Amino acid sequence: MAVNYMSQEGYDKILKEISYLESVERPKISAQIAEARDKGDLSENAEYDAAKEAQGKLESKIAILKDQVANARIIDTSKLDTSTVQIMSTVRLMNKKLNKEMCYTIVPESEANFREGKISVATPVAKALLGRKVGEMVEVRVPAGVQQLEVLEIKF
């Protein structure tokens, strides 16, 4: 399995989700299975089949999350260089075409959330910004066309 780079925040969020799924959702589904089993003939029991299917999906999700945690490498931002844009950088940009300032944090794919200003390292904007320095201009092809971005500030 590939190494899964993530922030401490992302790691903690996954651990919290695993805990919730195991302590709340798993017992809930077990109760649904027991209730459906009590209704008699399992061969024609749609509730039982649905509960067993939900249990399978839940166990699969827990396994995937545990795998992510097992292969996680926490990115220590205190050891990163702020002279260039890299993963976990918060970058303040000027969109020259729109004459508008924007701010994004470049994060691993699993932590991307556009509403929070967190963009995946795999996006065209992040790929174009990686390795750039303050003052550099970057041209990025996005669905709306080509954007010219100037790097104004890099921080963690």
Side-chain angles (χ1 to χ4, degrees):
M1 191 82 196
V3 173
N4 186 18
Y5 291 100
M6 60 180 63
S7 67
Q8 185 66 51
E9 177 187 354
Y11 183 82
D12 293 343
K13 186 176 178 182
I14 291 174
L15 289 179
K16 187 176 178 182
E17 185 175 3
I18 290 170
S19 176
Y20 172 79
L21 294 174
E22 289 180 336
S23 64
V24 176
E25 292 298 321
R26 186 182 274 161
K28 194 185 299 183
I29 290 176
S30 293
Q32 289 172 356
I33 291 170
E35 185 180 318
R37 192 179 293 132
D38 290 343
K39 292 185 179 177
D41 185 10
L42 298 180
S43 65
E44 295 179 17
N45 191 330
E47 287 179 39
Y48 179 78
D49 292 340
K52 288 298 279 182
E53 185 177 333
Q55 182 184 42
K57 288 180 180 179
L58 176 70
E59 293 304 325
S60 176
K61 184 173 185 175
I62 290 170
I64 289 168
L65 292 173
K66 284 186 171 183
D67 190 50
Q68 286 179 355
V69 167
N71 294 301
R73 299 293 178 271
I74 307 300
I75 299 168
D76 183 357
T77 56
S78 67
K79 294 184 176 152
L80 297 177
D81 178 17
T82 57
S83 67
T84 61
V85 177
Q86 25 191 319
I87 193 165
M88 302 309 295
S89 294
T90 297
V91 186
R92 195 166 53 88
L93 305 165
M94 174 60 77
N95 184 320
K96 294 295 188 175
K97 187 175 183 180
L98 302 174
N99 198 29
K100 182 178 174 186
E101 238 182 71
M102 305 178 300
C103 190
Y104 297 119
T105 300
I106 299 173
V107 297
E109 287 184 69
S110 62
E111 296 180 40
N113 184 335
F114 194 73
R115 286 188 201 116
E116 295 176 4
K118 296 178 179 181
I119 61 171
S120 165
V121 70
T123 62
V125 172
K127 286 179 179 179
L129 291 171
L130 291 174
R132 302 299 182 150
K133 296 180 179 188
V134 172
E136 284 192 54
M137 293 294 293
V138 181
E139 281 195 6
V140 184
R141 183 169 304 280
V142 294
V146 176
Q147 300 290 320
Q148 280 196 318
L149 306 173
E150 180 183 359
V151 179
L152 302 176
E153 180 184 18
I154 304 167
K155 62 184 178 183
F156 290 103

